Amino acid sequence: MDSSPKYAAVLFDCDGVLVDSERLTNTVLGEMLNELGWQISRKECISRFVGKMLRDEADVIEKHTGVRIDAEWLSHFRERRNVALEASLEAIPGIAEAVRDLDAAYPGLLACASSADRPKINLQLQKIGLFDVFDGRIFSGMELPHSKPAPDVYLAAAAALGVDPTETAVIEDSPTGVTAGVAAGAHVLGFCPDSPVHQRPEALEVVGAHEIFTAMDQLPGLLIR
């Protein structure tokens, strides 16, 4: 490996790719949906909501609870979620080493493009010690007209980096995110470890993932010649 990049830039999703946050987030979400009267299991909560923006799921939540979630409810959810993340968040195994290796090969050309709100993204990257790598190249779908599965956040990231989105690699772990990366024209690598909060490979392949990998120590070899 001679450390020459295979792509113009690498765009990372955050939740489930950089940080192991879905377990914590969905535990809090499940508790709050239970409080509204929806006795949803953590497994169903993960299946229904991973990779999606909660504000876009208001109709589903109202159907099951009779309650229309509003800005105040979402703010309360974010507060409770952030307490859990601050206390217990861990990095995806091997991601720190993989990102540092890639940062050397792609100086200034790594970005984090997430559906999450910016305070959450910042909190998480700081918690796992990778904020410095992505600082100035962090993009939130909540700040754009459309979040994933629309391609807006990946298109915005590519534009900010000054690269053609069709020449980028996108690292994703959910069908929603893979759909967004494919719509942006990127080469999408689907992360599918053996984990209850991650998808099976076929769930990502059916929406267009170009490659599947199962451990972060594989990633530099897929992105560096």
Side-chain angles (χ1 to χ4, degrees):
M1 191 184 297
D2 64 10
S3 296
S4 64
K6 291 174 68 174
Y7 301 95
V10 183
L11 314 178
F12 287 85
D13 178 39
C14 188
D15 296 285
V17 170
L18 299 175
V19 296
D20 189 11
S21 57
E22 300 291 10
R23 225 178 304 260
L24 297 170
T25 297
N26 281 277
T27 295
V28 172
L29 176 58
E31 290 170 354
M32 291 186 66
L33 293 176
N34 283 181
E35 291 163 9
L36 293 181
W38 185 359
Q39 300 306 308
I40 187 171
S41 67
R42 187 168 76 167
K43 182 177 180 180
E44 184 182 359
C45 197
I46 289 167
S47 174
R48 283 183 176 272
F49 297 110
V50 164
K52 298 177 181 177
M53 288 184 63
L54 199 50
R55 71 183 185 193
D56 294 339
E57 301 304 306
D59 289 345
V60 172
I61 292 171
E62 184 174 18
K63 178 182 175 183
H64 285 84
T65 66
V67 176
R68 188 76 183 177
I69 61 170
D70 56 13
E72 182 180 358
W73 191 92
L74 288 167
S75 177
H76 185 42
F77 164 72
R78 286 193 287 269
E79 289 171 5
R80 285 173 60 169
R81 175 204 67 192
N82 288 356
V83 169
L85 294 172
E86 189 64 60
S88 305
L89 182 70
E90 295 182 355
I92 292 291
I95 191 61
E97 297 83 357
V99 166
R100 296 290 176 185
D101 287 349
L102 289 167
D103 191 36
Y106 289 84
L109 292 169
L110 302 186
C112 179
S114 170
S115 292
D117 53 282
R118 185 173 294 272
K120 181 190 181 196
I121 304 169
N122 291 348
L123 180 160
Q124 295 186 141
L125 293 178
Q126 288 164 350
K127 181 78 174 171
I128 65 168
L130 289 178
F131 182 80
D132 63 298
V133 176
F134 296 103
D135 189 17
R137 297 184 303 279
I138 296 169
F139 303 87
S140 167
M142 291 189 70
E143 298 170 3
L144 296 165
H146 305 286
S147 193
K148 301 173 187 177
D152 300 31
V153 71
Y154 284 123
L155 295 175
L161 297 180
V163 298
D164 185 333
T166 66
E167 296 178 359
T168 66
V170 159
I171 317 303
E172 270 288 356
D173 72 312
S174 73
T176 303
V178 169
T179 300
V182 170
H187 184 87
V188 181
L189 289 83
F191 178 51
C192 293
D194 184 11
S195 154
V197 294
H198 283 88
Q199 302 287 329
R200 303 302 304 154
E202 52 270 21
L204 303 188
E205 290 169 338
V206 75
V207 291
H210 301 95
E211 294 183 73
I212 297 293
F213 69 108
T214 59
M216 283 301 171
D217 61 5
Q218 299 167 353
L219 192 56
L222 296 171
L223 298 173
I224 303 171
R225 291 191 174 89

